[in-house]
Amino acid sequence: MSRISVTAIAAAAWLGLGVAGSALAQDMAAGKAVFASNCAVCHQANGQGQDGLAPALTTYPGRYAGTDAGRKLLAHVVLNGMIGAIENGGKQYNGNMPNFRALSDAELADVLTYIAIGLPGVGTTGGKPFTAEEVKAVRAPAIAPTEIRRQRADVVKEAGL
Ligand code: HEC
């Protein structure tokens, strides 16, 4: 094999990685923007939460974004909202999170990718980027926000949190 073709193969491999890497970077930047305009008002700019108002997103979601049930729950939370008493990191919340059904599947996938693996200091366990298809698959039917809270209890328990 000539020196030139080895270099060409190496360059092609490098470009391939670059393209895949930049697609994730783009989704993450888009997710960060969706987060800033829709979620930060309650969960704060870096997802650190506000005592008594909205839980931190830097610990729990990243921990359960690695399981099928946890990923479905995250999509359900943004599509349906959540109402009722929960515990997050030893703190109690009893809030009413609105739903974000008005956002597109791609926007919701991007914001979930951002909170699952992109927030500063996120405690990720096996989380991977979300796809628009994953959100689309659970968009219908709408589910009561109190039922989402019940599903969260199962997921949190299974994740050992
Ligand atoms: C109006 C305030 C508000 C906004 C805006 C908001 N949330 Fe929430 N969020 C909450 C509250 C309150 C809870 C806890 C609900 C409960 O007590 O049952 C919550 C819970 C969550 C949870 C579950 C956390 C856990 O511990 O399992 C996730 C994930 C989440 N929100 C993501 C988001 C995302 C993503 C957005 C933006 C698209 C968003 N939230 C916008 C108030 C908000």
Side-chain angles (χ1 to χ4, degrees), residues 17-32:
L17 280 175
V19 169
S22 78
L24 176 58
Q26 274 175 24
D27 289 352
M28 201 76 91
K32 191 175 179 179

Side-chain angles (χ1 to χ4, degrees), residues 61-74:
R63 297 279 294 279
Y64 55 66
T67 66
D68 280 353
R71 297 177 76 79
K72 277 194 187 126
L73 174 70
L74 284 170

Side-chain angles (χ1 to χ4, degrees), residues 34-35 38-43 52-57 59-61 64 73-74 77-78 81-89 93-98 100 103 108 111-112 115 145 149 152 156:
V34 173
F35 187 86
N38 297 278
C39 322
V41 61
C42 292
H43 292 285
L53 277 178
L57 299 178
T59 43
Y60 282 35
Y64 55 66
L73 174 70
L74 284 170
V77 168
V78 289
M82 182 160 68
I83 294 180
I86 64 165
E87 192 203 285
N88 173 305
Y93 299 86
N94 194 348
N96 179 351
M97 169 158 159
F100 289 87
L103 298 182
L108 291 176
V111 79
L112 290 177
I115 66 167
R149 179 196 157 272
R152 178 190 181 274
V156 165

Side-chain angles (χ1 to χ4, degrees), residues 115-139:
I115 66 167
I117 59 179
L119 280 173
V122 68
T124 296
T125 318
K128 54 179 187 189
F130 279 78
T131 63
E133 288 70 30
E134 265 182 294
V135 176
K136 190 176 180 193
V138 298
R139 187 177 272 275

